[in-house]
Amino acid sequence: MSQFSVHAGAHQHCQSLEDALRRMRGHSLDQLARWGHRLAAVLPAGGRLLAAGNGGSAAQAQHLTAELVGRYLHERPAYSAIALHAETSSVTAIGNDYGFDQVFARQVAAHGRDGDVLLLLSTSGRSTNLLSAAMTARAAGVEVWALTGASPNPLAEAADESLCIDAATTATVQEAHLVAVHLLCESFDAALAAAGPAAARRTSRPPVPAVVRGTS
C-alpha cells in the first residue's frame, strides 16, 4: 500500500469524524445538557443510571459509569451507575438460562426503579438485547435514552429520547459517542455545581457508617 493511500484513508477518517461532530454540535448540545441536568436531579436523590452496550459500545457505556462512580474532572460525591454488561456472572447465567436477548432486560427488571435512567449505546440501533432492555425499562417506569448511529432505527424509536449520529462507519459513530459521553459528564457536573453543595449530596440513602476497629 502506498503512502498516499494510507494518508488518504486517514484524512477521510478524520474528515468523517469532523463532519459527524459538526452535526452533533449543531443539533445535539442542548439535548446533552438536558440529559446532564436530568441526571443531576436523579442521582443525588438516590436514583440510578443503568447503562449497556455490545462490543465497543459496552466499553463506552462502562466508561460513563466509571466517570459517575468516580469523577470526571472535579471532586464530588460518588453516584450510583451500573454497566450491565460488566456483570459477567449475571450476563453468562442469564444468557445460558434465558438467551442472549435477555441479558440486559433481566438485569433492568432486577435493578431498575421508577425514576431511574437507562442509557443504551448501539452503533446500529438494532441489537435485540438492547431493544428488550428498553421495553422492560419503560414498563418499569425507567426513563430510556439511546445513543445510536444514523436514524431511523428501532432502538431510537423504542427509547424515550435518542441521540443519533449520522456517520457512514461504525468507527466514526463510536468516536462521536465518546465525545457525547464526555459532554454528558460535563453537563452533569455543571448542573451539580449550579445547584450547590447540598444538592450534590445523596438525600434518600443513609451514609455508610465509618468502620470502628475494636481492641482486644
Side-chain angles (χ1 to χ4, degrees):
M1 181 179 292
S2 69
Q3 186 178 30
F4 176 79
S5 298
V6 172
H7 286 172
H11 280 294
Q12 181 58 47
H13 187 121
C14 291
Q15 186 62 56
S16 295
L17 179 58
E18 289 175 12
D19 291 344
L21 291 178
R22 184 175 63 254
R23 288 189 289 269
M24 186 172 74
R25 183 177 183 181
H27 301 291
S28 303
L29 297 190
D30 287 346
Q31 181 176 7
L32 288 167
R34 187 172 67 253
W35 285 5
H37 280 69
R38 174 63 178 155
L39 286 183
V42 170
L43 301 187
R48 174 178 291 140
L49 174 72
L50 304 176
N54 296 295
S57 295
Q60 294 192 342
Q62 195 167 342
H63 180 80
L64 172 61
T65 58
E67 301 283 22
L68 295 173
V69 175
R71 67 179 183 201
Y72 179 61
L73 289 178
H74 306 294
E75 288 295 336
R76 53 162 168 70
Y79 295 104
S80 181
I82 300 174
L84 301 179
H85 51 272
E87 296 288 328
T88 53
S89 293
S90 292
V91 167
T92 52
I94 295 166
N96 187 61
D97 294 342
Y98 298 95
F100 191 68
D101 289 355
Q102 296 300 311
V103 293
F104 300 138
R106 186 83 176 176
Q107 293 186 76
V108 169
H111 300 304
R113 300 292 182 267
D114 188 11
D116 287 347
V117 176
L118 172 66
L119 178 60
L120 302 171
L121 291 86
S122 172
T123 57
S124 69
R126 291 175 171 80
S127 300
T128 54
N129 55 7
L130 299 179
L131 289 168
S132 296
M135 290 185 286
T136 299
R138 295 191 69 174
V142 175
E143 188 172 355
V144 180
W145 300 342
L147 270 177
T148 76
S151 62
N153 64 72
L155 184 58
E157 294 171 2
D160 293 295
E161 294 190 42
S162 59
L163 193 162
C164 303
I165 301 298
D166 184 9
T169 68
T170 297
T172 301
V173 173
Q174 289 177 334
E175 288 157 1
H177 280 179
L178 179 58
V179 175
V181 163
H182 284 163
L183 292 176
L184 177 56
C185 290
E186 288 185 13
S187 296
F188 173 71
D189 282 1
L192 287 179
R201 293 193 295 268
R202 297 177 194 252
T203 58
S204 64
R205 294 178 184 175
V208 176
V211 174
V212 178
R213 301 187 182 278
T215 57
S216 58

